[in-house]
Amino acid sequence: MKNMQIFIQNVEDGTLKEVSQIVNKLTWETTLEAQPGKVKMNMLQTDGVVIQEGDKVLIRDNDKPVFFGFVFTVGYNERRLLDVTVYDSMRYLKNVATYIFSGKTAAQIFAEICDDFNVKYSVVDDCTWVVSDRIHENKSMFDIIQFGLDECLINTDKWYIMRDNAGTIELVDLENLRTNWYIGDNNMLSQYDYETSIDKDTYNRVKLVKENKDTAKRDVYVVFDSANEKKWGTLQLYESVDDTLSYEQIRNKAMNLLRVKNRKTRRMKISVLVGTFDLRAGNGIVIDIADLKNTGFTGKQNFIIARCTHNIEENKHTMDLEILNRSLEANQETTGGE
């Protein structure tokens, strides 16, 4: 594990041991989905090194901390090998509880929940969107926080994410996670799979329904893109909305949903020959692959890393990336787009 140092701190007595030399293989995966970062280590079972649930794990690269987490699973086998699973602090946001929030911003909700569950956090970029009043009953902390961040994305086109940065859960504006990393023809690219689709998260008609207590009927609000309906057929997103919302609020929500959803999705999986810990889920990179020009993929394209897996084995560091082309440029694709 060249330039890498892996330390494990015993949960009971606090002793710290470096285990870099007995780790045969390591993977580190992060994702934009509501999941914690995960490190899996395959290592030699060695006298004097006892690993147990709750132990702290610190990984450094060139003396820079890149991962901090906690052992959750230890597996043993007859070959005296250990399979150790470690999660970062976001694992504790999988806890379930009930919260009632009113008049608070997405950043305030994030901070309150992190305080309640004693996890270290930082509001790197303040998400000032005031989240709709809501009772979150028996929901995970991920779901509760994400509800506000999703509202912000739909209504403002500003995309905030949570991610663990070596032991601190950060709230970050995706715009500020752009990098200068370029991957493409003759530059680090090993292989790729590219897909465009209208099957997974594409809608050209939005129908919102509100229960009207005064009339005992349902009020229906519909917006659509006739041009894309002609091309793709009707792809409808149907949602019930809070009965306290005004007509203008519901119409704005419908228009914003259509703006965000009325487009093809583009996803690509790529294997990268040389890994770098500068990249993880959420970072923006530039891709350029000449063979895809017939798909409309012309020139350098901005992609967001949706899933990043670092693979380290025998001093070789590679990456597998799943990336998506949800533009970092606000309003690049709007109603009546593709």
Side-chain angles (χ1 to χ4, degrees):
M1 300 290 174
K2 187 179 180 181
N3 299 326
M4 281 185 59
Q5 291 177 297
I6 306 169
F7 299 93
I8 295 182
Q9 185 175 38
N10 186 280
V11 67
E12 294 179 348
D13 60 21
T15 56
L16 190 69
K17 293 184 180 293
E18 184 177 356
V19 297
S20 311
Q21 299 305 313
I22 61 173
V23 175
N24 299 320
K25 181 180 179 181
L26 182 147
T27 62
W28 175 32
E29 180 180 89
T30 54
T31 175
L32 284 181
E33 298 172 359
Q35 295 292 331
K38 177 171 67 175
V39 163
K40 291 185 72 70
M41 296 186 293
N42 179 266
M43 54 198 303
L44 299 173
Q45 191 172 339
T46 306
D47 293 340
V49 179
V50 178
I51 300 174
Q52 58 187 322
E53 295 82 359
D55 286 353
K56 298 175 182 178
V57 175
L58 173 65
I59 300 175
R60 290 178 172 270
D61 181 61
N62 289 315
D63 293 324
K64 176 184 177 182
V66 295
F67 176 87
F68 178 83
F70 305 86
V71 173
F72 271 76
T73 305
V74 185
Y76 304 81
N77 63 37
E78 77 285 351
R79 293 172 294 160
R80 292 185 58 81
L81 294 175
L82 303 179
D83 284 314
V84 181
T85 301
V86 187
Y87 291 108
D88 63 28
S89 297
M90 298 236 297
R91 172 62 177 77
Y92 298 103
L93 296 184
K94 295 181 73 172
N95 286 312
V96 173
T98 296
Y99 278 86
I100 302 174
F101 286 116
S102 177
K104 291 194 174 183
T105 67
Q108 288 171 335
I109 291 172
F110 164 77
E112 182 174 328
I113 287 175
C114 289
D115 280 332
D116 287 348
F117 284 86
N118 298 313
V119 293
K120 188 177 179 182
Y121 71 92
S122 174
V123 178
V124 177
D125 299 306
D126 190 8
C127 181
T128 58
W129 172 258
V130 178
V131 181
S132 300
D133 298 350
R134 191 174 182 87
I135 299 173
H136 300 273
E137 188 168 1
N138 297 326
K139 298 291 186 181
S140 74
M141 304 303 100
F142 270 125
D143 289 342
I144 297 171
I145 297 169
Q146 195 62 50
F147 176 83
L149 301 183
D150 287 345
E151 270 201 351
C152 178
L153 174 60
I154 290 168
N155 287 279
T156 70
D157 210 42
K158 290 185 70 66
W159 191 348
Y160 290 82
I161 66 167
M162 296 171 284
R163 71 174 195 169
D164 186 290
N165 185 6
T168 300
I169 301 178
E170 297 179 335
L171 183 65
V172 189
D173 185 342
L174 211 64
E175 173 68 25
N176 295 328
L177 295 179
R178 292 174 182 260
T179 73
N180 293 323
W181 282 96
Y182 160 72
I183 300 170
D185 297 326
N186 304 314
N187 191 63
M188 299 171 64
L189 181 66
S190 172
Q191 60 187 45
Y192 69 87
D193 290 297
Y194 180 56
E195 173 190 88
T196 65
S197 175
I198 60 170
D199 187 39
K200 296 176 180 177
D201 191 33
T202 299
Y203 301 94
N204 50 31
R205 178 177 289 257
V206 176
K207 184 176 184 178
L208 303 183
V209 176
K210 182 178 80 168
E211 298 290 344
N212 191 321
K213 294 180 180 179
D214 296 330
T215 64
K217 295 181 179 180
R218 289 183 170 183
D219 295 336
V220 178
Y221 307 80
V222 179
V223 294
F224 59 94
D225 180 346
S226 58
N228 274 353
E229 281 196 345
K230 185 176 180 180
K231 285 199 300 182
W232 301 336
T234 299
L235 301 172
Q236 179 170 281
L237 174 63
Y238 180 98
E239 285 187 8
S240 297
V241 296
D242 195 289
D243 60 11
T244 62
L245 295 182
S246 67
Y247 169 82
E248 191 63 29
Q249 288 174 316
I250 297 172
R251 175 174 169 76
N252 287 341
K253 180 175 182 176
M255 292 297 294
N256 287 328
L257 280 169
L258 186 65
R259 174 174 52 81
V260 171
K261 303 291 187 180
N262 182 36
R263 61 176 141 223
K264 296 178 185 178
T265 59
R266 295 182 172 90
R267 284 188 174 271
M268 181 184 289
K269 294 181 180 180
I270 61 176
S271 295
V272 182
L273 293 169
V274 181
T276 171
F277 287 117
D278 289 341
L279 297 180
R280 68 186 78 172
N283 284 125
I285 58 177
V286 176
I287 303 292
D288 190 5
I289 302 174
D291 285 346
L292 293 176
K293 62 183 179 181
N294 292 331
T295 70
F297 193 108
T298 55
K300 295 182 178 180
Q301 303 269 319
N302 288 320
F303 275 78
I304 299 165
I305 299 175
R307 184 180 300 272
C308 175
T309 303
H310 292 270
N311 309 294
I312 298 103
E313 186 173 10
E314 297 180 352
N315 292 326
K316 184 178 180 181
H317 183 181
T318 62
M319 295 187 299
D320 293 311
L321 306 180
E322 182 175 341
I323 56 181
L324 58 90
N325 190 222
R326 196 280 181 188
S327 176
L328 287 170
E329 305 294 344
N331 301 319
Q332 182 187 26
E333 296 182 37
T334 57
T335 303
E338 298 180 272

